[in-house]
Amino acid sequence: MGDEVDSDAVLAEAASEGIHCLPVPTPFAVGRINCYLVEDERLTLIDAGPRSDQSLAELEQLAGEAGHRLEDIDLVVATHQHLDHIGLIRTVAERSGAEVAALDLAVNRLAAFGDRVKAENDRAVELMLRHGVSDEVANGLREITTSFLNWGDKVIVTEPLSHGSYLELGNRRLKVLHRPGHSPSDTVFHDEERRMAFGGDHLLSHISSNPLISTPLDGSPGRTRSLIDYNASMAETRKMDLDLMLSGHGDPILDHVALIDRRFAAEKRRLEKIFGIIEQRPRPAHAIAEAIWGNVALTQAYLTLSEVIGHTDILLEQGRIAEREEDGLTIFEVAG
Ligand SMILES: [Zn+2]
């Protein structure tokens, strides 16, 4: 899998150019989140970590090691709506008086945090039940995701950014690129002049970014077709002229084209695998997840379900499968 990246050397070089990676702990399986402190006319923090005393203490210490106080931050930028990225934004903004920038389409979602996320969790439970996850597992997951709410906070955006516009930091300008898929609000910030970008979780070097099924950003009924969106986003990113993408988790990405090609190839294999499972006999999405991942389909029910539904969306679009309702359950079968 790809060449080993000397991540320390890349990050040291970035730091010498005024971009400091601040890896802050999260309670999630993904591990630390990389926040980035960018020295410019506006001292800018890209993502802030989850809301916890420990994350705040480490963020403060890491900023201090880079020679800055959180109080001096002028601008905080959100790459997307996930808790591990946005939980501390409000805290940092209140302490520093910083402006807060994020994609315009995400402003309401970020401001409405608590109740809106609870409603999204209800929709997630509905989705799981409809696709064959048991009551017990679906409601157990709801409890866990509800408890995760403590790690988030509402974000009041003062600088809404439209897709294709520029975020001005002083010497740098970052082009704002909406790249939905992993979440509906994923935004990549592209420094065209320096051939680098801040990618959030749009691309990760060590794991594929889960295209989680979500509620649409405008809160409308239904769900995102996240893998279809994600593929379109990756195809756009593949065209970018880049030497470096700094990600929200894991190592810097030096060859985004090769990485995206690996992701596309793996996805194609999974698509055929899922089609093969449906060909054996019709079944709901959760049963497909169980056939692929066994017990993990239970412990990570929503994640694996998102993965399967992402692919069945594509197979439906290709006309290779069909879906029918049976006792409140969605069954996938080969199109005939
Ligand atoms: Zn994320």
Side-chain angles (χ1 to χ4, degrees):
M1 293 290 287
D3 304 287
E4 275 302 305
V5 172
D6 186 351
S7 148
D8 290 345
V10 173
L11 292 177
E13 194 186 331
S16 74
E17 286 158 16
I19 300 172
H20 302 277
C21 178
L22 316 180
V24 169
T26 79
F28 305 109
V30 70
R32 288 179 180 259
I33 175 212
N34 299 323
C35 306
Y36 295 94
L37 188 64
V38 185
E39 293 165 343
D40 210 310
E41 282 170 30
R42 306 170 85 186
L43 182 62
T44 301
L45 180 65
I46 299 179
D47 288 335
R51 187 165 67 91
S52 82
D53 291 344
Q54 194 200 341
S55 299
L56 179 61
E58 293 204 25
L59 182 68
E60 190 158 28
Q61 192 196 330
L62 290 164
E65 285 166 15
H68 298 283
R69 301 182 317 149
L70 296 185
E71 286 75 6
D72 297 332
I73 290 172
D74 300 302
L75 173 68
V76 191
V77 181
T79 61
H80 66 296
Q81 69 206 55
H82 286 158
L83 305 182
D84 49 336
H85 296 255
I86 58 139
L88 280 174
I89 287 183
R90 187 183 183 186
T91 305
V92 172
E94 282 178 1
R95 259 173 73 170
S96 58
E99 303 288 335
V100 176
L103 185 73
D104 52 5
L105 301 172
V107 168
N108 291 338
R109 168 62 173 75
L110 290 169
F113 181 69
D115 290 344
R116 174 88 181 258
V117 176
K118 275 183 201 145
E120 288 178 7
N121 288 346
D122 290 342
R123 284 209 213 176
V125 168
E126 247 171 67
L127 186 84
M128 285 191 278
L129 295 176
R130 185 147 26 87
H131 288 281
V133 177
S134 73
D135 251 318
E136 190 189 356
V137 169
N139 284 303
L141 257 175
R142 186 206 319 252
E143 270 173 44
I144 296 172
T145 43
T146 303
S147 73
F148 281 164
L149 277 175
N150 296 324
W151 301 87
D153 202 351
K154 58 176 62 181
V155 176
I156 309 301
V157 176
T158 59
E159 281 187 41
L161 308 168
S162 58
H163 170 72
S165 69
Y166 286 89
L167 176 60
E168 304 284 348
L169 304 190
N171 294 312
R172 289 175 183 78
R173 60 198 314 236
L174 303 177
K175 190 165 192 183
V176 177
L177 300 168
H178 187 201
R179 293 281 192 264
H182 164 69
S183 88
S185 54
D186 285 2
T187 312
V188 168
F189 294 90
H190 186 195
D191 185 335
E192 295 163 308
E193 196 189 322
R194 293 171 183 78
R195 302 168 54 83
M196 65 81 61
F198 298 95
D201 292 356
H202 171 55
L203 288 176
L204 303 176
S205 64
H206 57 308
I207 45 168
S208 60
S209 307
N210 303 299
L212 289 165
I213 305 284
S214 307
T215 300
L217 271 185
D218 61 6
S220 60
R223 59 169 177 85
T224 57
R225 296 202 299 165
S226 49
L227 188 58
I228 289 174
D229 294 345
Y230 188 46
N231 287 344
S233 290
M234 279 201 290
E236 284 303 310
T237 298
R238 196 182 181 286
K239 296 181 209 156
M240 287 168 70
D241 200 10
L242 279 182
D243 295 329
L244 172 67
M245 182 177 274
L246 293 172
S247 296
H249 306 277
D251 290 336
I253 294 163
L254 298 185
D255 190 344
H256 67 296
V257 172
L259 180 66
I260 289 169
D261 287 345
R262 286 205 300 278
R263 296 281 180 262
F264 278 144
E267 193 187 299
K268 219 172 199 163
R269 287 194 297 273
R270 182 160 289 169
L271 191 75
E272 293 315 314
K273 186 167 185 175
I274 288 173
F275 182 72
I277 291 168
I278 295 169
E279 233 178 357
Q280 283 168 11
R281 64 180 163 80
R283 62 191 103 188
H286 178 61
I288 297 170
E290 279 186 305
I292 299 175
W293 292 288
N295 194 49
V296 177
L298 291 176
T299 56
Q300 307 267 22
Y302 196 71
L303 212 87
T304 53
L305 193 69
S306 287
E307 193 65 45
V308 171
I309 293 175
H311 288 85
T312 51
D313 281 345
I314 294 175
L315 291 168
L316 283 166
E317 199 181 64
Q318 292 175 346
R320 298 170 69 190
I321 64 168
E323 57 184 341
R324 64 182 152 84
E325 298 299 313
E326 202 178 281
D327 302 328
L329 221 56
T330 303
I331 311 285
F332 294 107
E333 60 192 2
V334 172

